[in-house]
Amino acid sequence: MPSDRKRFGLFLVGAATLLIVAVYLHLTSGSYELTLTETFKTLFRLEENTRFDLVVFEFRLPRIVIGAVVGFGLGLAGAILQGITRNPLADPGIIGINAGAGAAVVCFMFFFQGQLSTVNWLSVLAMPVFAWCGGLLAIVFILAFAMEKGRLDPQTFILTGIAVSAGFGALTLFFSLKMNPRDYEAAAVWLAGSVYSANWKHVVTVLPWIFLLTPAVFYKARVLDVLGLADTSIKGLGVDLAKERRLLILLSVGLVSACVSVAGSMTFVGLLAPHIARRLVGIHHRFLLPSSGLIGMGIVVAADWLAKTMFSPAQLPVGIVISIIGVPYFVFLLFQTQKAR
């Protein structure tokens, strides 16, 4: 355990440094370049400049905050799902939670189309609730088919999730094609995973979900360690396996739904972050959970910076950049899993 603490401490220092660098690059670069001095004076209100205030506080800072929060939530949810299923390929995007939440939000957009150009507080606050209902519906379908005699089979869980994801994807496409052109364009960009239009309303919307659910997840870190054992061993320790799995799944659905409601469907963050964290800090969830969240933050913020700068003047949705990185890594993990058998 002392070695794990030391590794975790070193990881925190390294992660904080890299995250600060990514935030600095994101704040200073773009179509309107800022120097370090200008950025520092603007952030700490040392010099009044309307143009700098607009660039930093209205455009770039909300985008960075949303990216960091979404990355943290998705990384945390990925670690939970991999711990529950004992499957290294489990990911909110792969098993259908993203698709269910996304379908619910697209339905919300469809029924309230024409009102998206002037997003009001009611619609912004309602989107996480719709997303949570969609994610919950997806996980209900998955568990209904993946559970066998009260036992959750990890392989069946993944395969069922892929099928449910495809079904919700078809539903999403059906409703998006019936939208007017302006809302369809907004929905298409959002579905690819984007924080381009992030604002402070979105930040206020998603933060309560993260603040409320994260302590509950950390509290269950030891339970997640126990869930790594065989089912008979878990029951021998007096742990209610079905109850704990249901609670952890609900927590992961809440995290993913809140993130999807403000940033769209970003796949592979929940897959990449826990794997990288496991290699750096070990398998104990008291260290793995916060590390997965921090790595998720770094992935999304760095990927959004790349999406903004590498393809300038065009701006790709950050979800596409993450997928470019995630697909090869997913194939690598698939081969590693097959070799382990």
Side-chain angles (χ1 to χ4, degrees), residues 76-127:
L76 202 58
I80 295 170
L81 291 172
Q82 289 179 16
I84 293 170
T85 61
R86 299 194 289 269
N87 191 319
L89 301 179
D91 169 74
I94 295 171
I95 66 172
I97 299 176
N98 278 15
V105 173
V106 167
C107 289
F108 173 80
M109 290 179 174
F110 173 74
F111 288 111
F112 291 92
Q113 58 183 323
Q115 302 177 21
L116 296 176
S117 58
T118 55
V119 180
N120 53 42
W121 276 107
L122 180 61
S123 61
V124 170
L125 292 172
M127 285 176 74

Side-chain angles (χ1 to χ4, degrees), residues 11-29:
F11 165 79
L12 288 180
V13 174
T17 303
L18 292 175
L19 191 59
I20 290 170
V21 171
V23 170
Y24 162 73
L25 291 173
H26 209 314
L27 278 174
T28 56
S29 60

Side-chain angles (χ1 to χ4, degrees), residues 142-211:
I142 294 168
L143 292 178
F145 291 103
M147 296 290 287
E148 185 178 351
K149 297 179 181 179
R151 181 177 175 273
L152 180 66
D153 180 65
Q155 302 302 325
T156 307
F157 185 81
I158 297 294
L159 293 174
T160 306
I162 293 171
V164 170
S165 179
F168 276 108
L171 181 67
T172 300
L173 182 62
F174 173 78
F175 278 106
S176 61
L177 289 175
K178 288 183 171 293
M179 290 179 173
N180 62 52
R182 178 183 295 179
D183 287 334
Y184 173 77
E185 183 181 350
V189 173
W190 176 85
L191 285 170
S194 174
V195 295
Y196 176 73
S197 59
N199 56 54
W200 292 113
K201 288 182 180 179
H202 294 123
V203 174
V204 173
T205 299
V206 73
L207 277 180
W209 290 72
I210 302 299
F211 283 148

